[in-house]
Amino acid sequence: MRIEGVIEEIIFRNEQNGYTVMIVDQNNTMVTAVGKMISTNVGENIAMEGEFTTSKYGVQFSFSSYEVIMPTSLKGIEQYLCSGLIKGIGPVTARNIVEHFKEQTFDIIEMSPTSLAEVKNISLKKALDIGEKFKDLKKLQNSVMFLQKYNISTNMALKIYEIYGDRTVDTVKNNPYRLVEDINGIGFLTADRIAKSIGVPANSEFRVRAGLLHAMNTAIERTGNTYLPKNMLINSAVNILDLNYESNEELYTKAIDSLLLDKTIRVMWHNNVEIVMLSQYYFYESAVAQKLSLLNQSVIQQKLELSDEIKHFEEKNKIIFHDEQKNAIINAINSGVSVITGGPGTGKTTIIKCITEILSQNNKRFMLLAPTGRASKRLSDSTGCEAKTIHRALEVAQGNTGRFVHNENNPLETDAVIVDEVSMVDVALMNHLCKALPRDCKLVLVGDKDQLPSVGAGNVLDDILKCGKITVSMLTKIYRQSDDSLIITNAHLINSGKMPLIDNSSKDFFFEEKSELGTIKNSIVDMLTTRLPKFTGLDPSQIQILAPLKAGICGIDNLNKTLQAELNPPKMNKQEIVVGETIYREGDKVMQTTNNYNLIWKKINGFIEEEGQGVYNGDIGYIHKIDFQTNEVTIWFEDGRICLYPRTDIGQLSLAYAITIHKSQGSEFDVVIIPVIAGPSMILTRNLIYTAVTRAKKMVVLVGEKTNLRRMVSNNYTVQRFTLLKDLLIATDDKIKELFN
């Protein structure tokens, strides 16, 4: 059955898969229509193929296919033009155009756009612009409809079109595996599904090349490797492609040669093993090694005597430094590059304060940096000095994804940089920071070596510690703890492989024994929504659930759904939007899950309005507004930034009532609740529970079985990452020493 009508109202819209519920005016009869659409705009004239169905929502027209048709009535043409589809045409302009050209309006816009300049208030430039946008809209609709045949979501289809433009259909038909290399978020399985449907053979060289890249990228994203042994890479690709290596060896060789030829990968020998590395990550690690070695060697050899400065700081702050803390301060001031590492309560922040005072007394400029907004705010609060995120200090270049204003050609104006929470800095970000450091800059890296490694690829802190070429100050003496506080004491017990003290008589460390998963979940939800707010006086937003796993009854996906229903249930006046399996509702607590360098934000401090670019993995905020007219979501981040998300980027957000322990790195929360459950031993490790406990400022609550806690504390398994930085630091340092000597 086919019906036509004009879209009068959008009732519901899932931006991920395009599922839409709308009211359509069919010859003055209002029809509720449901189905998947590329884009939806009030005023569009559409023809739909489908049938009427009856559900609990009443009679609806369920359509399986549709097409946007150009309206023929003057009223319809005017509605279409001012629907927002063509930017630059408002209600007044639309009326003027239709009054001038009548039924010929669309032909004029497409075939003779310069004629639009005959209309009042339309310049020749604007006329050409309207014509171009009209053509682009038709190309976009055709391309996205083509992609949706292969179950590619609306958001992803729009991203593909942004890359290929009017070449989208031809590119995908000729080599759908290009999507794997060119489009962030398109995986091998999606490209493979398209390829099979259009007849690309399973032994295509394009397919093998894409399979190898997919295996390499999976190793980078899931396990943080920057390279793989060649035989391991091929074995992974064989499993993905289901193509036996022995009978297809020549095919694999050709694919690797193709990747080598266009410099996508590098193949080399390392420790008598042939390895494969994405060229991008080889350049990252090489550049970091070179810059750190240069900074380390170029420091002025005159060593400052700092006993008076340290003594003055001690007297002023009524403290006495331990010898290892004094050595850390001296090493930081007198070294080109130095590392200060220690667990909670060992005085890292106090040492940073002393270093900044000594630098100031010697008229040296310095910058305090951290990987996340939460970490930089904590550093600023504890030192009394301005601290920034690394991204913000480097400044995202306008319109250039992943590029920064400050680099080797435009270095930061500073004499020293101190980076806190460095354990969570991946090699890509470390590369950008190193490039922006002046040649004579001091670099002080501060962090906890026993924290989880960075979410991103590389093992920066561990490689620097193990290379033996950088000055390291190890802090072991614990200072910051009160008699009735157990957070720091228990963190160090866990780190040493001992069970934490649990008697529930302290003011800040509690264990609630529960065994059944459903009971654990219910207890956690009750704690966050009711019990802990009453006990602490804190708002639920100041209490954070840190879970080891994403899936399962006590995983973050299930906890977030439950907590959303409890803390932010649906209401008539609350807009909501569905992306994939997730409902996003005004008022929801959300987290950015990937770096987005293009998003523009504003921040108001008193009478000063600040504007910047870039939202980063781990940033937490709240959904303030969902606007279906503009297809934008307004997020208010915890640090005061306000950001408008276009519909194509909404999927980068996840609910954040509960987050994974990995995602909590670099953050601190007043109260943390941790489910202690059984699970894979490769995930539920000592450094995972140690990281979770050290995220709490005021209170830790564990819920589960002590047996599972004991297993985690005893499990010192750590995933060994394949990285080159340590060896590159050793080799580069030796070469630079030869040059300096």
Side-chain angles (χ1 to χ4, degrees):
M1 183 177 183
R2 178 184 173 93
I3 67 171
E4 290 185 23
V6 177
I7 299 174
E8 288 290 323
E9 184 182 354
I10 310 299
I11 303 297
F12 174 82
R13 172 81 175 159
N14 181 329
E15 291 298 337
Q16 186 68 19
N17 60 21
Y19 182 78
T20 304
V21 180
M22 59 190 172
I23 303 296
V24 176
D25 181 354
Q26 183 195 18
N27 297 325
N28 295 321
T29 300
M30 298 303 163
V31 176
T32 301
V34 297
K36 291 185 178 181
M37 300 186 71
I38 303 164
S39 61
T40 327
N41 291 275
V42 172
E44 275 188 308
N45 199 34
I46 60 170
M48 301 171 287
E49 291 283 348
E51 59 184 14
F52 282 100
T53 59
T54 303
S55 70
K56 63 179 181 179
Y57 300 108
V59 177
Q60 299 175 325
F61 185 77
S62 179
F63 61 90
S64 55
S65 64
Y66 78 99
E67 61 177 317
V68 178
I69 56 177
M70 296 294 104
T72 54
S73 70
L74 297 184
K75 180 185 175 183
I77 295 171
E78 185 178 326
Q79 279 185 313
Y80 181 88
L81 289 179
C82 67
S83 66
L85 283 166
I86 305 171
K87 288 187 178 179
I89 300 182
V92 175
T93 304
R95 190 180 311 116
N96 290 340
I97 292 173
V98 174
E99 285 178 356
H100 192 80
F101 295 110
K102 302 292 190 292
E103 289 83 359
Q104 303 300 312
T105 294
F106 289 132
D107 290 336
I108 292 294
I109 293 174
E110 185 172 9
M111 308 304 296
S112 180
T114 55
S115 300
L116 293 172
E118 299 170 13
V119 177
K120 183 182 177 182
N121 294 328
I122 296 183
S123 65
L124 181 60
K125 182 178 182 301
K126 185 174 181 179
L128 291 170
D129 190 45
I130 290 171
E132 196 64 34
K133 285 175 180 173
F134 185 77
K135 288 180 181 177
D136 288 344
L137 178 62
K138 291 187 72 174
K139 291 174 185 175
L140 168 64
Q141 289 174 333
N142 291 336
S143 297
V144 177
M145 288 181 75
F146 166 79
L147 292 169
Q148 284 196 319
K149 290 191 298 185
Y150 304 106
N151 292 321
I152 293 176
S153 70
T154 305
N155 280 352
M156 190 55 69
L158 291 171
K159 285 188 176 182
I160 293 170
Y161 186 80
E162 283 177 10
I163 300 294
Y164 299 132
D166 55 8
R167 298 180 291 108
T168 298
V169 175
D170 288 340
T171 300
V172 174
K173 280 183 175 178
N174 292 333
N175 178 15
Y177 295 104
R178 278 280 303 276
L179 297 171
V180 179
E181 299 184 43
D182 297 343
I183 313 295
N184 185 28
I186 289 281
F188 173 81
L189 296 178
T190 300
D192 207 35
R193 186 178 67 245
I194 298 171
K196 286 177 182 176
S197 67
I198 60 179
V200 177
N203 63 349
S204 159
E205 187 182 317
F206 290 143
R207 183 170 184 265
V208 177
R209 175 188 167 108
L212 287 163
L213 277 178
H214 179 68
M216 194 73 238
N217 283 317
T218 299
I220 290 168
E221 292 164 10
R222 292 186 183 174
T223 53
N225 296 311
T226 58
Y227 76 83
L228 280 181
K230 186 178 178 182
N231 63 341
M232 187 181 292
L233 173 65
I234 288 174
N235 287 338
S236 296
V238 167
N239 290 331
I240 292 163
L241 297 165
D242 196 24
L243 277 177
N244 180 273
Y245 178 72
E246 284 71 22
S247 54
N248 291 281
E249 184 176 353
E250 185 178 351
L251 192 57
Y252 282 97
T253 301
K254 280 185 178 180
I256 289 174
D257 288 344
S258 167
L259 291 165
L260 273 169
L261 192 62
D262 61 19
K263 299 181 179 178
T264 301
I265 63 170
R266 293 176 69 99
V267 178
M268 63 195 91
W269 287 88
H270 176 61
N271 293 335
N272 297 317
V273 175
E274 193 172 16
I275 67 170
V276 180
M277 196 172 193
L278 289 184
S279 297
Q280 177 184 21
Y281 281 90
Y282 177 78
F283 292 133
Y284 286 162
E285 293 197 306
S286 296
V288 170
Q290 186 175 37
K291 189 57 175 279
L292 292 183
S293 298
L294 282 169
L295 292 174
N296 209 32
Q297 292 296 326
S298 62
V299 67
I300 298 172
Q301 292 304 308
Q302 177 188 1
K303 301 295 183 182
L304 296 174
E305 169 51 51
L306 301 172
S307 56
D308 289 342
E309 287 89 341
I310 292 173
K311 185 177 181 181
H312 174 72
F313 183 87
E314 288 176 318
E315 291 173 350
K316 177 183 171 184
N317 292 275
K318 296 184 173 67
I319 61 168
I320 297 175
F321 281 126
H322 187 270
D323 284 346
E324 63 184 17
Q325 294 175 313
K326 291 179 183 178
N327 288 334
I329 296 164
I330 293 166
N331 288 338
I333 297 295
N334 286 327
S335 303
V337 181
S338 63
V339 177
I340 301 171
T341 182
T346 54
K348 296 189 296 294
T349 302
T350 308
I351 289 170
I352 292 173
K353 284 179 69 175
C354 186
I355 292 168
T356 59
E357 283 201 15
I358 292 172
L359 289 168
S360 295
Q361 290 163 12
N362 286 273
N363 297 315
K364 298 294 184 183
R365 300 164 298 174
F366 63 86
M367 298 182 75
L368 296 181
L369 305 180
T372 67
R374 275 181 170 267
S376 65
K377 185 178 186 306
R378 189 179 73 248
L379 184 59
S380 181
D381 292 343
S382 58
T383 62
C385 301
E386 182 188 20
K388 296 180 178 181
T389 64
I390 298 171
H391 289 97
R392 191 172 170 199
L394 297 178
E395 296 179 54
V396 177
Q398 205 78 25
N400 284 321
T401 301
R403 296 184 182 274
F404 296 93
V405 170
H406 293 287
N407 50 39
E408 61 270 39
N409 300 316
N410 181 29
L412 296 165
E413 295 181 0
T414 186
D415 300 305
V417 169
I418 302 170
V419 183
D420 197 15
E421 294 285 0
V422 74
S423 62
M424 66 180 299
V425 176
D426 62 30
V427 71
L429 184 56
M430 191 66 181
N431 167 64
H432 290 301
L433 174 61
C434 284
K435 286 202 295 186
L437 297 177
R439 286 288 297 269
D440 57 351
C441 180
K442 292 182 186 298
L443 177 63
V444 184
L445 303 173
V446 184
D448 186 343
K449 67 180 180 61
D450 297 312
Q451 296 278 356
L452 291 168
S454 60
V455 175
N459 209 2
V460 173
L461 178 59
D462 194 56
D463 282 344
I464 291 173
L465 290 171
K466 289 178 177 176
C467 75
K469 300 295 183 179
I470 305 296
T471 301
V472 176
S473 301
M474 202 81 68
L475 305 176
T476 58
K477 180 98 173 142
I478 304 171
Y479 287 89
R480 179 171 54 86
Q481 62 181 14
S482 60
D483 293 338
D484 55 351
S485 171
L486 279 181
I487 293 178
I488 292 173
T489 299
N490 280 341
H492 285 276
L493 284 172
I494 290 168
N495 198 33
S496 62
K498 299 174 183 176
M499 276 290 283
L501 302 174
I502 300 170
D503 59 14
N504 287 351
S505 63
S506 76
K507 67 177 183 180
D508 63 0
F509 202 97
F510 303 95
F511 193 102
E512 182 159 285
E513 186 86 32
K514 301 287 181 185
S515 56
E516 200 269 323
L517 288 174
T519 306
I520 294 172
K521 186 206 78 170
N522 292 338
S523 180
I524 288 171
V525 171
D526 187 42
M527 279 187 179
L528 186 139
T529 58
T530 307
R531 290 164 59 189
L532 286 176
K534 285 182 180 178
F535 180 69
T536 63
L538 297 173
D539 187 83
S541 64
Q542 296 170 281
I543 302 168
Q544 185 63 57
I545 296 172
L546 303 181
L549 306 172
K550 288 189 68 177
I553 294 173
C554 293
I556 65 165
D557 292 340
N558 190 45
L559 285 168
N560 274 318
K561 285 181 182 178
T562 305
L563 287 163
Q564 183 189 49
E566 288 282 333
L567 295 171
N568 191 32
K571 288 184 180 178
M572 286 294 293
N573 61 341
K574 278 186 181 178
Q575 297 288 354
E576 60 182 51
I577 191 169
V578 180
V579 179
E581 301 295 319
T582 304
I583 297 172
Y584 296 90
R585 187 174 295 134
E586 289 175 347
D588 275 335
K589 185 178 184 180
V590 292
M591 172 184 276
Q592 175 73 13
T593 60
T594 185
N595 291 338
N596 187 324
Y597 299 98
N598 294 324
L599 286 172
I600 305 296
W601 53 261
K602 290 184 178 181
K603 188 175 182 180
I604 300 172
N605 290 316
F607 297 104
I608 301 172
E609 183 175 296
E610 183 183 355
E611 187 173 291
Q613 188 173 341
V615 178
Y616 305 104
N617 193 350
D619 288 349
I620 293 176
Y622 293 84
I623 298 177
H624 176 65
K625 184 179 180 183
I626 296 173
D627 191 329
F628 285 105
Q629 295 302 314
T630 61
N631 282 320
E632 290 177 323
V633 175
T634 305
I635 306 295
W636 285 7
F637 285 102
E638 290 181 328
D639 60 3
R641 289 172 300 156
I642 301 170
C643 187
L644 281 178
Y645 276 65
R647 69 180 187 180
T648 53
D649 293 335
I650 295 167
Q652 295 176 6
L653 296 168
S654 67
L655 295 177
Y657 302 102
I659 63 175
T660 63
I661 296 169
H662 280 88
K663 286 288 188 183
S664 73
Q665 288 174 264
S667 296
E668 267 193 349
F669 308 93
D670 286 330
V671 178
V672 300
I673 306 172
I674 307 165
V676 181
I677 57 176
S681 59
M682 291 178 66
I683 296 174
L684 301 180
T685 61
R686 180 187 301 166
N687 66 348
L688 188 79
I689 189 67
Y690 171 73
T691 299
V693 167
T694 56
R695 298 307 88 202
K697 289 193 289 185
K698 298 178 180 178
M699 185 182 295
V700 173
V701 180
L702 304 171
V703 184
E705 292 189 86
K706 289 180 183 175
T707 303
N708 292 326
L709 177 61
R710 187 171 287 108
R711 285 188 187 128
M712 292 181 77
V713 171
S714 302
N715 181 11
N716 64 353
Y717 173 81
T718 54
V719 177
Q720 296 302 309
R721 295 186 173 190
F722 292 116
T723 63
L724 277 186
L725 181 58
K726 183 191 80 170
D727 296 280
L728 288 169
L729 277 165
I730 294 169
T732 307
D733 184 79
D734 291 340
K735 288 179 183 177
I736 289 177
K737 275 181 180 173
E738 290 177 13
L739 291 174
F740 274 79
N741 295 331

